[in-house]
Amino acid sequence: LDAFQIEACKALEDGSGVLVAAPTGSGKTVVGEFAVHLALASGTKCFYTTPIKALSNQKYADLVARYGPEKVGLLTGDNSVNGEAPVVVMTTEVLRNMLYAQSPTLAGLAFVVMDEVHYLADRFRGAVWEEVIIHVPDSVRIVALSATVSNAEEFGEWLQAVRGDTAVIVDGHRPVPLFQHMLVGTRLYDLFVDTGPG
């Protein structure tokens, strides 16, 4: 594990919520999956939220492969599979609707993983993330994961004000290099090429 993953998992073990901001491909998902592990180990529930159905379906398949179909459910606008399982993957809108309906499914909930939490800044859908963060019961720990939160420290301060004890963990190392190119006709040009002195 990388240092930021260890720090975030330790914070969860110690009873804090976490905000993890790290580049794409760096392994933030490990922290969300650790929350799933903690919930199953303690006999509580973990909801794993994603912004889009395709990502929910992918995460559901990953967790079923690890824990089996009896322990994992899926709730999206299109699918309802084993919704009373201890681990349920869902879109963030589904969780928001459950909170407002005071769904009995919320009983025993210990963790909410909010993958792609930077959607909070989305002009049209961001309010859903904000409402979930504010209305999830105080006993529930939020595990917020994002690759693109530019103001992670400021966002973390808001999370601490709204949710209480929240560790803010930022890692800038990009394990998957990011290169930009431009296609002109049939030729691909590298952008931002360092040509050396002169």
Side-chain angles (χ1 to χ4, degrees), residues 174-192:
R174 181 179 289 280
V176 180
L178 181 64
F179 299 106
Q180 296 183 9
H181 307 280
M182 180 172 60
L183 184 66
V184 179
T186 58
R187 186 151 178 215
L188 190 66
Y189 294 92
D190 292 330
L191 293 179
F192 312 112

Side-chain angles (χ1 to χ4, degrees), residues 67-143:
Y67 296 110
E70 66 286 343
K71 290 190 176 171
V72 184
L74 175 68
L75 295 173
T76 66
D78 297 334
N79 290 308
S80 178
V81 179
N82 198 15
E84 295 301 320
V87 178
V88 184
V89 182
M90 63 186 68
T91 53
T92 313
E93 282 85 355
V94 168
L95 178 53
R96 190 262 316 262
N97 295 344
M98 289 172 68
L99 290 166
Y100 286 148
Q102 297 181 345
S103 170
T105 303
L106 295 164
L109 182 62
F111 298 93
V112 169
V113 179
M114 301 189 79
D115 208 349
E116 312 292 347
V117 76
H118 57 267
Y119 265 78
L120 187 79
D122 184 89
R123 182 175 170 191
F124 299 105
R125 298 177 64 203
V128 174
W129 276 256
E130 189 174 346
E131 290 167 34
V132 166
I133 289 168
I134 291 170
H135 293 296
V136 162
D138 291 341
S139 59
V140 176
R141 282 179 272 166
I142 298 282
V143 181

